[in-house]
Amino acid sequence: MSEAKFLPFALPDIGEEEIAEVVDALRSGWVTTGPKTRQFEADFAEFIGDGVEAIAVNSATAGLHLALEALGIGPGDEVVVPTYTFTATAEVVRYLGADPVFVDVDPLTLNMTAEGLRAVITPKTRAVMPVHFAGLACEMDAIIAVAREHGLKVVEDAAHALPTLYQGKLVGALDSDATVFSFYANKTMTTGEGGMVVSKDKDLIARCKVMRLHGISRDAFDRYRSTTPAWFYEVVAPGFKYNMPDIAAAIGLHQLRKIRRFHAQREEMATRFDAELSDLPLILPSRPAHASSSHAWHLYPVRLKPEAGISRDDFIARMAEKGVGCSVHFIPLHLHPVWRDGYGLTPADFPAAQAAFEAEVTLPLYTRMSADDQARVIAAVREVLGA
Ligand SMILES: *Cc1c(COP(=O)(O)O)cnc(C)c1O
């Protein structure tokens, strides 16, 4: 085992189909947003179902920004976000000159809650951005009910939640205003960099389409296909450069076709971790509370109990010595200087997130890990914990 290769914390799972499709895009001459992106959007909307439309962008961060912009969020507005997330969730609120308002999370699921949301609503609150941590959906019925009661928009940060069922429906098809997925390299499927905005709101989709490409009323592929002169376009707003290139969509087309298989593998690995780590002084990740809900298993986050007798940092260092890469999700936003100092946040304001951060370790879980790789991870955890 000492000579075994270092097992990284995450790796993308790219096959020959993706490679061939990228080569096809390169040879076709259409490398930016074009037919493959159109197909990827159509396939993605069909996968989510329920009549949603899908807009491909070059990151989830871009998608979150576009969704909030389309909903009219601007200076003076407040947008509620959990502290237990990646900084992108809050930074897009600042892009628009609005202010993020940070809430603590449930101590077991590490998701934000309806009660947490209700407690911070002011006359300035305009929207809430639930984050489905690790791939477990927030209690969306309750969050949406509070949001509707107070006239708030709901934009789901579903960067971890493909595919996640919430009470029988895929995240993306719930009654929020928009849902945004990430195809970053370590997510449950990848396009290298990329994201998708999904919504049933035709006006929101139309605005996102215009704003993802400079505020231009027609994109290059529309112009290419249209009967009016190809050179003609109008700029209707100062937009952004957020379109997904066909080179990336080529990867996404095949990753999406594999997502059910990827998910089955992740589910099986999570079940094995649960079974083989359950006797240890660890808090294992929460599972869905409803039978008709499921977990995407983007991450497998465990927390060290005090009786483990080892700090989170020492645990990660010992795992690395045994050739296993671990990570931490998340360093909560209230600890980062930009949010801490900008909004006067302290750990005492977020006791659940603070306690989770101090004890959290994310174990490697990805489809290119073999059963033997996972056995190595389990053996390393057991040795480090002296079991
Ligand atoms: C990865 C991630 C994002 C950002 O995704 P990009 O596609 O890299 O922009 C946003 N929110 C959360 C919770 C994430 O984990």
Side-chain angles (χ1 to χ4, degrees), residues 59-62 64 85-86 88-89 131 157 159-160 182-184 187 193-194 330:
S59 71
T61 307
L64 292 167
T85 185
F86 184 58
T89 319
V131 177
D157 179 338
H160 300 185
S182 173
F183 309 131
Y184 182 67
K187 298 288 159 62
E193 298 278 359
F330 282 102

Side-chain angles (χ1 to χ4, degrees), residues 219-293:
D219 71 22
F221 192 59
D222 271 335
R223 286 195 272 133
Y224 175 79
R225 290 194 303 183
S226 168
T227 51
T228 50
W231 53 263
F232 183 76
Y233 64 88
E234 283 180 303
V235 177
V236 297
F240 309 101
K241 189 69 204 292
Y242 283 167
N243 56 304
M244 174 180 281
D246 268 23
I247 294 170
I251 304 171
L253 281 170
H254 292 278
Q255 291 273 292
L256 183 63
R257 285 173 203 163
K258 298 174 183 178
I259 193 77
R260 292 290 181 200
R261 170 165 68 77
F262 287 167
H263 183 239
Q265 284 177 254
R266 286 179 178 274
E267 181 82 59
E268 195 184 310
M269 295 173 87
T271 300
R272 182 176 177 195
F273 272 143
D274 279 7
E276 299 197 33
L277 302 176
S278 65
D279 60 319
L280 300 176
L282 295 173
I283 301 173
L284 301 181
S286 294
R287 285 184 168 263
H290 316 274
S292 56
S293 298

Side-chain angles (χ1 to χ4, degrees), residues 41-42 44-46 48-56 63 66-68 70-71 148 153-156 158 170-181 195-209:
E41 291 174 336
F44 199 89
E46 192 189 315
I48 298 295
D50 235 43
V52 300
E53 286 189 65
I55 295 293
L66 288 179
L68 290 183
L71 291 167
R148 295 295 173 244
K153 302 295 186 186
V154 181
V155 175
E156 294 170 72
L170 277 176
V171 165
L174 309 181
D175 290 327
S176 60
D177 293 280
T179 304
V180 181
F181 297 92
M196 193 73 80
V197 182
V198 166
S199 177
K200 294 173 197 165
D201 178 342
K202 301 238 181 292
D203 294 336
L204 181 141
I205 290 287
R207 178 71 180 180
C208 288
K209 255 187 198 168

Side-chain angles (χ1 to χ4, degrees), residues 304-316:
L304 297 159
K305 291 182 180 171
E307 56 265 39
I310 185 169
S311 73
R312 190 268 319 277
D313 295 1
D314 287 346
F315 180 90
I316 291 176

